[in-house]
Each structure stands twice: as C-alpha cells, then as structure tokens.
Amino acid sequence: MKASQLQKIVAGSRLTFPVTVVYGLVLCLIGGVIQHQWWLQLACYALAAYLMIQLNNFNALIRIYSRSTTAAFIILSGVACFIFPSLAGDLVTVGLIASLLTLFVTYQNREAAGWTYYTFLILGLSSLAKVHLLALIPIYWILMIFLSSLSLRTFIASLAGLLTPYWCWLALVIFLYKGDLSAIGGHFQAFTAVDFPGAYDSIPLPHYLTYAFLIVLAVTGIVHFLRKSYNDKIRTRQLFYSIMFFDIVVLVLIPLFPQHYDLLLRPAIILTSPLIGHFIALTHTKVTNIAFYFILIAALLLTGFNLWISSFTS
C-alpha cells in the first residue's frame, strides 16, 4: 500500500470508527477510568460520539461516506485527556453537541419554534452543570442569523427554552427549602465572578500545547473549506460557516479567559472535528497527505505527552 493511499482508506473505511472507539477506550483504561470509577464520564463520551455521528449524518456535513468527523472527535478528546474527569464538563459536551443537532434542523425555518425551544432547553439544562455556559448563548442567536432561522417567534422560543430549567429549579427550591434561594444565588454568583485577565502562569504546559494543536487544525480546516466550498451544497456551506464562526469565537475566548479553559476547550474540540474531518475526507494531494501524517503523528505524540504529564494519571 502506498503511503498516499492511507489517508483515503482512513477517511472512507467502515473500520475507522470502530478502530477509533477501541483507541478511545484504551486511552480511558490507561488514564484510570477503572481505578477512579469514571463510568458516568465514559458514558457521556460514548453518547457524545454517537451524537457526533448523528450530527454528521443528519446534515450531510461530508458529501461522501466517512466517519472522519467522529473519529476526529474521539482522537481530539484523547489529546485533551486532562478534561475527562470532570463529569459536569462532560455533561456540557453532550449538551453542546445535542444543541447543535437540534439547531441545525431550523435551517431557513423562521417558524421552527419547537426545535429552537429544544435547542435552548438543552443549553439551559447544561448550564445547570456549568453556569458559565450561559456566556455562549448570544453566539447561538448569531448562529440563527447564519441559518436564517431567527425571528421574533424563534427568539421568544429560545428564551422560553433557556428559562424552563431555571423555572423548574426555582419551584423545586421553594418547595424543598421553603423559599431559601441561596443555592440559586450561589449558582449565578459564580457566573458574575469574572477574573480578567486570567492568570496565565497557572496554565500547565499540556493545555498550551493542546490549544496550539487545535488552532493548527482549525486553520487547516477553515482554509480548506473556504477554498473548496463550491463543491458543497448551499445548506452545507451555511452550516460550516456557522461552525467556523463558533469555533473562531471559542478559540479567541480561551486566551482571554484561561480560567475557563476546561469549559471552552470542549466546544473547540466539537467544532474543530467536522472542519478537520472534512479536510481529511475530501483531500488527496501530496501536500495534504503529508499534512494528514503530521496531524496523526502529532495527535498521538501529544496524547502520550498529556497522559504522562497531566494530572489525569495522578
């Protein structure tokens, strides 16, 4: 087999997904999922991988059969192994993918109040685990402009979906604690406690390297798509423009708010995966083959380094 054929085989093979699943499971075992009993975290990542498959399939993000998007998500999640132990963060990962899945259904439908409600309901539920997720809500409204789905009707539906989990929580707190709202107050107090600029000297080396790697992948995927987007349908282009915009915003926010690195890295991984997946699946030149080998080797080396040096193995 020629070296130039490996990229094509990996991109189109039906074995790619099961092989990367096994790879991900091995990383979890090495990282201590059994010793630390991180079964819920593992379940979250399994669900996240499944939702990535559905995100790709329902929206035909790649115009040929390929599991490269999901494979990229699993591999990049392995690179960022140090965020795995956070159950709250893993729930946010699932919520973000699910919210994109429902949001993309609203494409060019300004009457899609139902799907918009579900999108923001998912985000509202996810924000109960990580309140700072609420800072990303305006981005979703901008994405609705990209998708031509924002109207007064869908905007009101988004507010209703976002507030529903908090209405239910408020009712539960009033019932159980007889009007003591300190739990809710503490939840939002964490959101208002903003440390800007952040303490960069507290960020470990694996975080810097992983962030730099994601930037390289995101730029590679964005440049490729902008050069070759004419081959995709208009709907696919709009979805990718939404993904690119969201990814760029998140990657800019990470150095601005390094104290929220673990939270912001999750959407960065989710959004970079289809970009680099599109690149791997639909390019087959000598230059892109070299880039593919660089990406694969760099991901493996960085994963090994992060496993070795990060607190994930402690």
Side-chain angles (χ1 to χ4, degrees), residues 5-231:
Q5 293 178 327
L6 181 61
Q7 180 186 351
K8 187 175 182 180
I9 292 172
V10 169
S13 175
R14 295 184 181 275
L15 293 176
T16 298
F17 177 66
V19 168
T20 51
V21 167
V22 172
Y23 170 78
L25 288 174
V26 170
L27 290 181
C28 290
L29 292 174
I30 295 173
V33 68
I34 296 177
Q35 297 93 315
H36 300 286
Q37 299 293 296
W38 288 328
W39 303 117
L40 290 177
Q41 289 89 330
L42 183 61
C44 284
Y45 266 99
L47 179 57
Y50 171 77
L51 290 175
M52 287 297 292
I53 293 176
Q54 301 309 315
L55 184 68
N56 181 69
N57 289 351
F58 287 169
N59 299 289
L61 294 179
I62 299 178
R63 59 184 178 271
I64 63 172
Y65 174 86
S66 178
R67 288 284 183 258
S68 56
T69 293
T70 310
F73 171 76
I74 294 172
I75 292 172
L76 291 178
S77 297
V79 170
C81 54
F82 43 80
I83 66 173
F84 180 81
S86 172
L87 178 58
D90 296 337
L91 290 172
V92 167
T93 297
V94 173
L96 286 169
I97 303 172
S99 67
L100 290 174
L101 191 58
T102 53
L103 180 66
F104 287 169
V105 177
T106 69
Y107 175 72
Q108 284 193 342
N109 186 356
R110 291 185 170 86
E111 301 299 316
W115 284 110
T116 303
Y117 174 83
Y118 296 140
T119 298
F120 285 83
L121 175 64
I122 293 168
L123 291 171
L125 288 170
S126 300
S127 71
L128 293 178
K130 287 280 190 179
V131 67
H132 295 94
L133 185 66
L134 292 173
L136 300 181
I137 297 302
I139 299 176
Y140 275 76
W141 287 324
I142 297 174
L143 295 184
M144 291 171 66
I145 297 176
F146 276 94
L147 300 174
S148 301
S149 65
L150 183 63
S151 65
L152 180 60
R153 180 184 178 90
T154 56
F155 180 72
I156 293 173
S158 71
L159 293 177
L162 187 62
L163 292 174
T164 297
Y166 288 95
W167 287 335
C168 295
W169 188 24
L170 177 62
L172 184 63
V173 168
I174 292 174
F175 176 74
L176 293 178
Y177 301 101
K178 299 180 180 180
D180 182 5
L181 304 180
S182 58
I184 296 179
H187 181 72
F188 286 105
Q189 186 177 7
F191 179 75
T192 58
V194 179
D195 181 19
F196 182 81
Y200 296 99
D201 55 348
S202 64
I203 305 298
L205 181 60
H207 290 57
Y208 281 111
L209 294 177
T210 302
Y211 174 65
F213 185 55
L214 280 175
I215 288 181
V216 171
L217 296 187
V219 171
T220 300
I222 289 172
V223 171
H224 155 71
F225 187 80
L226 292 177
R227 290 182 64 248
K228 300 294 183 180
S229 60
Y230 60 85
N231 290 317

